[in-house]
């Protein structure tokens, strides 16, 4: 008799409340990042990452200054679209941070 192996959801297995809370926040962040990616213009999709949301400010992390300028230029058009999301109704500003990717040499 063989037992089928189903993928285990870490949220269901976490016994520690702190770990469960952390995993839930990570899932919310991933879900929100997917929503933001879906609303970005095609040339920015996959190039911006969600840094976080605090006090009505959404932080987007981009790899270079060129993309940062494009996001800032399109901020007025992006804000109304982003406010349609349930978690972003109080959004009033998009903050853009430049963080180049870090490449570590293989050892």
């Amino acid at each position: 008799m063989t037992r089928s192996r189903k993928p285990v959801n870490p949220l269901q297995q976490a016994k520690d409340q702190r770990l469960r809370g952390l995993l839930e926040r990570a899932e919310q962040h991933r879900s929100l990042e997917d929503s933001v990616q879906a609303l970005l213009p095609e040339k920015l999709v996959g190039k911006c990452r969600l840094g976080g949301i605090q006090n009505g400010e959404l932080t987007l992390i981009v790899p270079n200054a060129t993309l940062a300028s494009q996001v800032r230029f399109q901020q007025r058009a992006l804000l109304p679209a982003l406010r349609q999301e349930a978690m972003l109704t109080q959004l009033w500003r998009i903050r853009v941070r430049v963080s180049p990717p870090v490449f570590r040499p293989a050892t």
Side-chain angles (χ1 to χ4, degrees):
M1 185 172 197
T2 61
R3 294 184 351 181
S4 64
R5 291 187 172 237
K6 295 180 182 176
V8 178
N9 184 350
L11 288 175
Q12 294 172 346
Q13 296 242 322
K15 294 180 177 134
D16 184 12
Q17 288 291 23
R18 292 179 292 170
L19 176 59
R20 184 174 294 200
L22 183 63
L23 290 171
E24 286 174 359
R25 287 197 56 200
E27 180 62 28
Q28 286 176 348
H29 184 87
R30 186 199 57 77
S31 172
L32 188 57
E33 184 164 20
D34 290 345
S35 299
V36 169
Q37 289 289 329
L39 295 171
L40 287 174
E42 189 175 321
K43 61 185 171 184
L44 298 175
V45 172
K47 298 175 184 172
C48 300
R49 293 179 319 197
L50 178 66
I53 300 172
Q54 188 173 18
N55 299 328
E57 291 183 356
L58 176 107
T59 303
L60 288 177
I61 301 170
V62 295
N64 57 47
T66 304
L67 288 175
S69 295
Q70 291 176 6
V71 172
R72 288 182 185 116
F73 183 74
Q74 296 183 7
Q75 180 175 354
R76 288 186 187 240
L78 288 173
L79 279 172
L82 290 170
R83 284 187 191 126
Q84 299 300 316
E85 291 295 317
M87 293 182 68
L88 300 175
T89 57
Q90 300 298 319
L91 185 66
W92 66 277
R93 179 178 177 201
I94 297 174
R95 176 179 287 178
V96 183
R97 300 285 179 185
V98 177
S99 178
V102 177
F103 295 103
R104 296 190 177 137
T107 57

